[in-house]
Amino acid sequence: MVVAMSSDATPKQIEEVVQFIRKHDARPHLSKGEERTIIGVIGFNHRVQADQLLAMPGVENVIPISQPYKLVSREFKPEDTVIRVNGIKIGGSEPVVMAGPCAVESETQIIETARIVKQQGAHLLRGGAFKPRTSPYSFQGLGEEGLQFLQKAKNETGLPIVTEILDPHDLPLVEQYADILQIGARNMQNYALLKAVGHSQRPVLLKRGMSAQFTEFLMSAEYIMSEGNSNVILCERGIRSFVEYTRNTLDLNIVPAVKQVSHLPIIVDPSHGTGRKDLVETMSVAAMVAGADGLIIEVHPHPEKSWSDANQTLNPEQFARLMHKIRYYHECGKKYAAAGDAQAAVSQNDEVAVPAQ
Amino acid sequence: MVVAMSSDATPKQIEEVVQFIRKHDARPHLSKGEERTIIGVIGFNHRVQADQLLAMPGVENVIPISQPYKLVSREFKPEDTVIRVNGIKIGGSEPVVMAGPCAVESETQIIETARIVKQQGAHLLRGGAFKPRTSPYSFQGLGEEGLQFLQKAKNETGLPIVTEILDPHDLPLVEQYADILQIGARNMQNYALLKAVGHSQRPVLLKRGMSAQFTEFLMSAEYIMSEGNSNVILCERGIRSFVEYTRNTLDLNIVPAVKQVSHLPIIVDPSHGTGRKDLVETMSVAAMVAGADGLIIEVHPHPEKSWSDANQTLNPEQFARLMHKIRYYHECGKKYAAAGDAQAAVSQNDEVAVPAQ
Amino acid sequence: MVVAMSSDATPKQIEEVVQFIRKHDARPHLSKGEERTIIGVIGFNHRVQADQLLAMPGVENVIPISQPYKLVSREFKPEDTVIRVNGIKIGGSEPVVMAGPCAVESETQIIETARIVKQQGAHLLRGGAFKPRTSPYSFQGLGEEGLQFLQKAKNETGLPIVTEILDPHDLPLVEQYADILQIGARNMQNYALLKAVGHSQRPVLLKRGMSAQFTEFLMSAEYIMSEGNSNVILCERGIRSFVEYTRNTLDLNIVPAVKQVSHLPIIVDPSHGTGRKDLVETMSVAAMVAGADGLIIEVHPHPEKSWSDANQTLNPEQFARLMHKIRYYHECGKKYAAAGDAQAAVSQNDEVAVPAQ
Amino acid sequence: MVVAMSSDATPKQIEEVVQFIRKHDARPHLSKGEERTIIGVIGFNHRVQADQLLAMPGVENVIPISQPYKLVSREFKPEDTVIRVNGIKIGGSEPVVMAGPCAVESETQIIETARIVKQQGAHLLRGGAFKPRTSPYSFQGLGEEGLQFLQKAKNETGLPIVTEILDPHDLPLVEQYADILQIGARNMQNYALLKAVGHSQRPVLLKRGMSAQFTEFLMSAEYIMSEGNSNVILCERGIRSFVEYTRNTLDLNIVPAVKQVSHLPIIVDPSHGTGRKDLVETMSVAAMVAGADGLIIEVHPHPEKSWSDANQTLNPEQFARLMHKIRYYHECGKKYAAAGDAQAAVSQNDEVAVPAQ
C-alpha cells in the first residue's frame, strides 16, 4: 500500500501518518519528492486500513500494491528511475554502455582497455578484481591491487568503475574504488550481500541469477531497496536452459516485462548471455530495441590472450562496430518515438543518418 | 561432402560422378544452379574418397561438410535460400509477415481477418483448420470446412495461405488449399510427417520443438530436404524453460546462430513465443533486428472473443502499430547495410523517414 | 462428471441417461462392469445438471471430475487398471519387465537377446523395427523385416512383443506383430498417431515427451482412451533439463504423483532416462520402490556392437543382476505391505530371503 | 595428480616432495593416514613432472587426477569418507536422518519437535535460525535466539544440530551452536561463505544449487575442502525445471553418479525436492535405495500451523511411518549386500523382518 500525501501536507500531518502505520505493526517507507511525499506501507499484516488512512488530514490518495515487490514496483513509483553516476544517467533517454575485460589482469591491460572503450564511446569501465570462479584453483582476481589498477584507469580516462563484490566484508574496500557495485548472478540470492550493499551509497548492478524467476529477481532488488539504497540497476545475463549452442540463454523477453511493472533501469549482458562473440553485436542491438537502458560488454585489447571468457570477449574493432550500430539504432528509435509513436506527420527533412564511424 | 562441378562440366561427366557415388553405397543429391551443378554426397560410410572424386573429369572442387546436417548447411549452399510463394519472396531482402487467427472459426471471421491484415501489409494469411490441442475435448479445428473458408479469404484478398498439417494422411487435402504447409512444434520430430511433406511441392514452415536443441531443429529440416523438398522455412516459437512470466521463452539467439551455419530463412513467432500480447510488438522488432526474415503473428478482429490463444492475439489496431514499426526499423536496417556496414560516407540527404501510418 | 448407475439399473434406464446427456450436447462414455455401469459425461459445456441426472431412475450417484483428464482419472475409475497381454498382467501385483535391444538388427541378434532376457525372467521383448532417429542418414530400422524377426523371437520364446509405431499408416502392419504398441517420446503429442492407436485392440505404451508437463502427459493418454482404447501404459523416460551428467533427467517423482490421480499403470525406462548403463540397475530398483509397475530396459548380447544406444545398453550379465535385485526388493515390498503398512504383528518366520541367482 | 608415499617414507622424504612441488609453482595438499601419507598436487600448470616425482626417494606411486575436482574425487581418496558428529557416523553403513521444522519458531515448538523426531529415531535436529527468504518482508528467522532454542532442544534430547549459515560474519556465532553448518541451495556458489566454512572445525552440509550442474556442485565442495575442511556432506534437494507438479525436480540420479566419482557422503532432501508431503515418504525410500547416506526431512508437530513450508512438512505420524519404512528397506539392503551382491548362498534363517513400529 502506498499513501500519497497532498502537495500541501504539513510535516506534522506526514508524521501522524507515519505513527499511525507504526502503531499497526507495519513499516513506513518515506519518499520525499519535490512536489509531494509518498509513504510506502510495508509489513506482514493487513491491519492497516486504507479507509482510515484516507480519512487522515493531508492524505490525498491510498494506492494498494498488488505485487510482492513494493519499492521496486511501478505502482509505488510510476516514473522511471534515473541513476546518476559521475554525470552519467542510467535509465534516462540515452543508452549506457559498460565495457571492459572480464578480469583486471594488469595495470597495462586495464588502462589500455579503458582508453579503447572510452574512445569508442563507452560510459563506464567494467573489470573484475574479485572473481567468482567455479574452481578454487582458477585465477581469483587481483583483489585490492586490481581495484587500484581500475582507479588508475579511471584517473586516465575519467570512466567510472563498475566492479563485482563477493563478500560483505569487502564492502568498505570496494566502495572506495567502485562507482557501481556489481552483484553477480551466483549471488543474486545471497541475502547477506544484498543487505550489505543496501546500506551503501553506491548504486548496485544486480545480475539475474541463472535460474531466477521474474518475481525472485525483483524481490532481490527489493532486498537492496528495503535497506535504503534505491539505486538498483537490473541486468539480464542469460538463464540456464537445455539449450546448447549458447553458453546461457539470453532472455530478452524480460526487458519489456520488467518495464511494465518496475521503474528500475535494466541493462543487458550479451557477452555472458550468449557466450559467443559472434552473436554479441546482433544481440546487443536486439536488446536495445527491446527497451534495454544499456549494455555491459566484455572487451579486451587481445581477447585471445584473455585469462578468462576469451570466447565471448570482443576485440577493439568489434566493439567499435557494436557501438556504432547501437548508436545508430538508438537514433532511429528516438526519431520514431518523437514521431508520436508512429502516427504523426513526419517531415522528410528530419531523418536519421547513419553516423560516420 | 559436396562435389562442385566446373561450369563447363558435361552431363556425361556429371552422370559419371553420380554413378561413382552410388557405386560406393552413398547417395548423390543434385543441385543444378544456373552456373554450375553441385552434388551432395550423403551416406553412412566414408568409403567415397575425396581425392578420387577430385581426379574425375569435370570436378572442380570437393568440400567436406563437417556438420551432421548437410543440405541445410551453408557449407553445402553458401548463398541464402529465397523461397517464392505467389510472388512473395521469403528469405529475400524484405521481411515477410504471416498473420491471422489461431484457428479458423467461421467464414466471416477469417475473411474479416484477412482483409484487416492485408490492409496493414501482411503477406500471408495464417489460420488453423486442423488444430493440435492438449485436450481431446477442446475444439480441434473445422477441418476441410476451415480450409475452404481459408480459400475464400484468399480469393477475396489474394493472400496466400499458411496452415498446419497434423497427419500425413491429410496431405493431398491440405496441399489443395495451403500455399505453405506448417509443421507445429509438437510434430518437429514426427518423422512420418516430415517425410510426407518432404515429397510435397509446397514450401514447409517448420516450427522449433519446445525442447529442441539446435542440431535437432536443423536435422528435422534435413529430413524434409533429404526427401526432395528444399523449400523449408525455419520458425523460432519459444522454448520450454523454468521461466514463468512468458508462456514460452522466445529464444532470439537462434536467429543469428542459424544464419551463420544455414542458408535457410528463419522467421519468428512472438505470439506463441511470449504468450503475452503486451510483449508481441517489442519482441517482433527485436526479432527483425536480430536478423529474422519475417514474423508469424496471431491477429483476430476481436481477440476477446477468440476461441483460443486470446491472451496472445493482437487486435487490428495493435497489429497496425506492429507493422508500422517493423517497416520503419527495416528501412533503418537497409540504410545501415547500404552505408557499408557502418563505415562509408553517408549523405545527410539519404535518410530514413518514419513512414506515415 | 461420472454417473454411477445402480446395480439393478435396467438397460432402458441406462439408455435414458445416455439420451439425456446427448440432448445436452455432451458425450456419454459407457463403461459396463460386472456389477454396474458407469457413464462418463464428456463435453465442452456445463449444461448437464448433476441434480437432474441424480433424479433419474436407476442413477445411484453423480461424481464431478475436477481434472481436465477424465477417463484417465482415479475419480472416474478408483481401482487400478490391470492390462492383460498374453497372460501377463501389467499394473497388477507383480512387476513387469520389458527388455531387449534398441533396434532389431538381425534375426540372430533378436532371437539371441530374446532367449537371454527370457531366461532372466523378462516378461516382454522390446525392439524397434521403425526407429525415430534425429538424422535422416542414420539407420531407420529394418521395417517389416524387423517385425518378422520379432515374430520369430516370440515364436521361440513365447515373449510378447512391444515395438514402436511412427506412422498411423503403419498401424495395420504393426498390429499384426506387436502385442503392445509403443508411442515414443517425440510423438507424445502427435495427435494423429494417438487417435489411430486409440482405435486399435492393442494396448499402448505411451512414453512421456521430453518436455511434457504432468497434465499434458495424462491428456495424451486421454486422447487414446477417448477413442475407445482404455489399455494405456504410461512410461517415464527422462525429461530434458540443463543437467549434463545424464542423457535425460529421469524424473521418478512422477511415479507416485501419477498413482495418486490416475488408475493407469506406469513403468519406467532407466536406459533412456539416464543414458548410462552404470546407473541403470540402481535407478531401476529406485523406480520399483517408488511404485512403478514395471521397467523397460535396453539389453543386447554385445552392447559394444549395438548399432545405437550402446552407452545405455546392458549386457546379459548386468541384466541378470538387475532382474535379481528388483525381484528381491519386490519381495521385500510385498512383505512390508502384507505387514499392514508397517504396523501389524510380524512373524519372524515370514521373512524375505535373497533369492539364489 | 596425487603422490602416494610409501609406508616407510621418512618425514624428510615427505618434506622434499613438498618442496619440489612448491618449487614448481604448484600447491601440495598433505593427507596423513595411519599407514601412509598422500600428497595432492594442485595448481594451474603442468610443469610438475610425474616421472621426476616417481624417481624421488620414498615415493611409491604417482596418480594423475583427471577431474577438475581433486580432493573431492575418488581418485584422490578411494575409500568412502565417514564424518563423525557426536558419535553419529555420516557416510557409514547406517542411514542418518536429520529432521525438524523449516524454521525455529519458539522454544516450545523446537523442543517438542526434537522429542518427536528423537523418539522416531532421527539422528540430528534440523531447524533454521537464519532463514533465506525470497521476500525481505517475510519472517527471516529468530537469529541468535533461535540458536539458543536449538541448544535447549539439544540439551533435552541429545540430538546434534544442523542449521543454516547465511553470512560469513555469523560464523563464530553459528559455530557455537551448530554441530553441522548448512549451506543452502542459493549460496552454493557464494564463494566467500564457502571459504569461511572451509576454515571451520564443523562439518558442512552443502546443498546443491537450483541449477547446479554436476561439476559445479562438486567444485563447490572442493572450495570448502581446499581451505582445509574435509568434512563435507553433499545434499540433493531438487533442481529447477519446467516441471510443475513438484516444487522442484528431485534428481535422484545424482546419488549413484556422485558415488562413482567421489568419496563424500550424499544425503537427500525430499521435502524441498518435491514440495509435497504426499510424495516425501515414497521418494525417501527411493533415495535410500538409490544409495543415499541419509535424509533431511521437514517435520513439525502441527504442519498446518507452520510459518513456512507447510505443504511439504510431515506431521509426527507421517514421520514415524517414514522412519519405519526406511529402516526396513535399509535392513533389506544390508542383507542383500551381505549375500554377496546377489549371488552367494543365502540361508533361509537369515531373513529380514519388518520391524515392529
Side-chain angles (χ1 to χ4, degrees), chain A residues 134-140, chain D residues 1-3 17-31 38-49 53 62-73 75-77 219 221-230 263:
Chain A
T134 303
S135 168
Y137 311 125
S138 298
F139 172 57
Q140 306 273 314
Chain D
M1 196 154 48
V2 172
V3 182
V17 170
V18 165
Q19 289 309 326
F20 179 89
I21 294 167
R22 289 223 173 90
K23 210 179 71 187
H24 288 77
D25 288 343
R27 267 199 287 155
H29 183 281
L30 261 73
S31 170
I38 300 286
I39 307 172
V41 185
I42 293 158
F44 305 123
N45 64 69
H46 302 280
R47 277 180 288 174
V48 184
Q49 300 295 325
L53 278 163
V62 176
I63 313 136
I65 298 186
S66 52
Q67 300 296 346
Y69 36 89
K70 308 298 179 194
L71 309 177
V72 160
S73 110
E75 290 171 310
F76 185 80
K77 178 171 180 292
M219 289 310 278
E222 187 85 9
Y223 259 95
I224 298 168
M225 294 183 78
S226 71
E227 297 290 332
N229 187 344
S230 54
H263 54 85

Side-chain angles (χ1 to χ4, degrees), chain B residues 149-169:
Chain B
F149 293 161
L150 283 166
Q151 179 66 52
K152 289 187 183 170
K154 179 180 174 181
N155 294 345
E156 286 276 335
T157 60
L159 290 181
I161 301 300
V162 54
T163 197
E164 184 160 357
I165 178 167
L166 296 178
D167 190 337
H169 181 261

Side-chain angles (χ1 to χ4, degrees), chain B residues 44 133 137 191 222-223, chain C residues 44 133 137 186 191 222-223:
Chain B
F44 304 123
R133 302 299 299 274
Y137 311 126
Y191 299 124
E222 187 84 11
Y223 259 95
Chain C
F44 305 122
R133 301 301 297 273
Y137 311 126
R186 305 174 205 213
Y191 299 126
E222 188 83 10
Y223 259 96

Side-chain angles (χ1 to χ4, degrees), chain B residues 101-248:
Chain B
C102 174
V104 180
E105 297 167 5
S106 69
E107 186 177 330
T108 316
Q109 172 245 25
I110 193 66
I111 292 178
E112 185 182 355
T113 310
R115 284 185 182 140
I116 289 166
V117 303
K118 164 85 172 180
Q119 190 186 354
Q120 300 303 336
H123 307 88
L124 290 104
L125 178 65
R126 62 152 287 159
F130 296 94
K131 297 298 302 171
R133 302 299 299 274
T134 304
S135 169
Y137 311 126
S138 298
F139 173 58
Q140 307 272 315
L142 296 178
E144 184 165 6
E145 190 183 27
L147 294 173
Q148 290 163 348
F149 293 161
L150 283 166
Q151 179 66 52
K152 289 187 183 170
K154 179 180 174 181
N155 294 345
E156 286 276 335
T157 60
L159 290 181
I161 301 300
V162 54
T163 197
E164 184 160 357
I165 178 167
L166 296 178
D167 190 337
H169 181 261
D170 295 331
L171 185 58
L173 175 68
V174 179
E175 272 185 325
Q176 283 178 46
Y177 298 94
D179 297 287
I180 299 180
L181 300 166
Q182 180 178 321
I183 303 289
R186 306 176 203 210
N187 282 320
M188 192 200 84
Q189 292 189 313
N190 176 346
Y191 299 124
L193 189 57
L194 297 181
K195 287 178 181 173
V197 301
H199 293 122
S200 175
Q201 302 300 315
R202 303 293 186 196
V204 177
L205 177 66
L206 177 66
K207 289 196 148 191
R208 181 184 186 183
M210 276 195 191
S211 55
Q213 292 186 320
F214 191 72
T215 302
E216 291 169 345
F217 188 22
L218 295 184
M219 290 310 279
S220 286
E222 187 84 11
Y223 259 95
I224 299 166
M225 296 183 76
S226 69
E227 298 289 333
N229 188 342
S230 55
N231 291 320
V232 179
I233 306 154
L234 302 171
C235 180
E236 160 64 24
R237 47 78 70 206
I239 55 168
R240 186 151 267 180
S241 77
F242 66 83
V243 168
E244 86 291 20
Y245 64 94
T246 42
R247 182 179 174 185
N248 294 289

